[in-house]
Amino acid sequence: MPYLYSFVLSFVLMYLSMFLGIRLGLLDKPKGMLKPHEKPIPFTGGLGIILSFIFTAFLFNRELFIYVLPLSILWAIGFIDDLRETPPRLRLLAELIIGFGFSIFFGNSVITSLFLAFVFAAIINAFNMIDGMDGLCGGISLIVAIALSLIPDLAYFSWLIPIISAFLIFNIAPARMFLGDGGSYLLGGFFGIAFIQAFHSGFTVSVLGILWLPLLDLTLGFMRRILNGKSPFEGDRDHFYDKLKKLYIKNTRAIMITSMALASIYAFPSLFVSWWFLLVYLLAVSVIQVIVLKSLKIT
């Protein structure tokens, strides 16, 4: 029953965040290839998610409060970037500092924390990168949250399920509200924290597998841009979901559902197989994905 209350509360807060975005002019306006939506859409989904998380922590699970400060900072960084684009290196530095600090908080050494800080930043940017289509980042995040909640030390992720579900009501095509960078940074931060905790408790490879789809897209995107002589932080339209668009044309819901299914193919087997088999499985499925989608290159 508390999860139902959390969903209802989150739905109300999402609606208020959307209304606030419209009233204050916090709108993502159409702009070329990277923003092909037809009309301005409020980018205040991240605000709804962080408010929902804070109220859920206060009303239902006080143990969640330890995550509120770093996640609020990540949301603020992304929200500022939504308002006024900030240098990628500055955002990356902030992500590294937060990841390092959280790792130290969990008792890791300085060397280990430096490594985990880079993984933390990579996860945030991976989820920011898949936020390119209605319902996509939210849908994949829902799959990830469900899978993570099945790991004993990460059971608190079950509280993200009603929150993300409430957001998706407003974000499934045609979207009435976007995550914004604030929202994608926030979701990436949740899952970056999960990786740090998993590293501390011995579920590292399982969490890596659960997060594999966005991390694979990030890696391929960076390699593609570097090979083409572009900045790895520069946006493009050659992600896995862009290639799926060639199959489904403008059926964004079909692309979202297919992407969620693809995320599930990586995520749920990661819970049940040994680490060495999982690594072989991830590599094999990744190769199949790349080969199948290569014929759908659109840029």
Side-chain angles (χ1 to χ4, degrees), residues 104-139:
I104 291 292
F105 175 79
F106 273 95
N108 293 307
S109 68
V110 171
I111 299 299
T112 299
S113 295
L114 287 172
F115 165 73
L116 290 175
F118 278 97
V119 178
F120 179 81
I123 293 171
I124 291 172
N125 284 280
F127 278 84
N128 180 251
M129 201 167 283
I130 62 170
D131 185 27
M133 200 167 288
D134 294 352
L136 186 68
C137 186

Side-chain angles (χ1 to χ4, degrees), residues 83-224:
L83 295 174
R84 180 179 181 180
E85 188 171 348
T86 54
R89 288 183 177 83
L90 184 60
R91 299 197 304 269
L92 178 61
L93 178 61
E95 295 160 11
L96 291 171
I97 291 172
I98 293 171
F100 180 82
F102 211 85
S103 179
I104 291 292
F105 175 79
F106 273 95
N108 293 307
S109 68
V110 171
I111 299 299
T112 299
S113 295
L114 287 172
F115 165 73
L116 290 175
F118 278 97
V119 178
F120 179 81
I123 293 171
I124 291 172
N125 284 280
F127 278 84
N128 180 251
M129 201 167 283
I130 62 170
D131 185 27
M133 200 167 288
D134 294 352
L136 186 68
C137 186
I140 291 175
S141 295
L142 180 61
I143 296 298
V144 170
I146 293 171
L148 290 175
S149 71
L150 299 175
I151 296 176
D153 288 356
L154 300 175
Y156 69 89
F157 270 92
S158 59
W159 290 105
L160 268 187
I161 297 171
I163 295 174
I164 296 174
S165 299
F167 166 71
L168 278 173
I169 293 175
F170 297 91
N171 188 237
I172 291 177
R176 290 180 287 164
M177 179 168 61
F178 289 159
L179 273 173
D181 285 343
S184 61
Y185 279 35
L186 179 58
L187 291 174
F190 276 117
F191 305 135
I193 287 172
F195 187 87
I196 291 173
Q197 289 185 268
F199 192 89
H200 187 70
S201 59
F203 292 97
T204 311
V205 181
S206 295
V207 173
L208 180 67
I210 291 170
L211 298 170
W212 190 259
L213 179 61
L215 286 174
L216 175 64
D217 188 62
L218 174 76
T219 302
L220 294 175
F222 271 34
M223 291 173 60
R224 179 174 65 246

Side-chain angles (χ1 to χ4, degrees), residues 24-88:
L24 297 181
L26 303 174
L27 304 172
D28 191 332
K29 299 177 182 178
K31 185 179 180 181
M33 178 181 66
L34 296 180
K35 296 185 177 184
H37 46 282
E38 296 179 356
K39 61 181 181 179
I41 304 290
F43 54 76
T44 47
L47 174 62
I49 292 175
I50 190 63
L51 289 177
S52 298
F53 184 74
I54 292 171
F55 274 94
T56 294
F58 181 76
L59 295 173
F60 306 117
N61 190 338
R62 299 293 177 88
E63 294 179 1
L64 299 176
F65 270 118
I66 64 171
Y67 308 106
V68 167
L69 179 60
L71 291 170
S72 297
I73 295 173
L74 281 172
W75 168 78
I77 292 169
F79 184 69
I80 291 171
D81 192 49
D82 285 321
L83 295 174
R84 180 179 181 180
E85 188 171 348
T86 54

